[in-house]
Amino acid sequence: MNLSEMLEAGAWAGLVAGVVVFLVSCLILWIIIYTAVRAALSAHREALARRSGRYDLPPR
């Protein structure tokens, strides 16, 4: 069975579902990584401010 026969046989829905699952997984992973990096940078910036004696940090 070649690709065109598979697509005609209804595998189109499976292919689209697979692509959607992949894209949603990538989005979730990106959100997790973005949140972790943002929290780490915020903590680092706060630690540098405390070390330098600047306590006028904006509220989170």
Side-chain angles (χ1 to χ4, degrees):
M1 183 181 258
N2 62 21
L3 182 61
S4 63
E5 290 173 351
M6 286 173 50
L7 292 178
E8 289 174 7
W12 228 152
L15 181 63
V16 170
V19 170
V20 168
V21 168
F22 174 75
L23 292 176
V24 169
S25 300
C26 287
L27 178 64
I28 292 171
L29 183 61
W30 181 84
I31 290 172
I32 291 170
I33 292 171
Y34 174 80
T35 304
V37 169
R38 184 174 173 190
L41 288 176
S42 178
H44 177 68
R45 184 176 31 204
E46 185 175 333
L48 288 179
R50 290 191 192 285
R51 192 174 74 179
S52 68
R54 256 190 64 225
Y55 292 104
D56 58 336
L57 296 172
R60 288 186 191 191

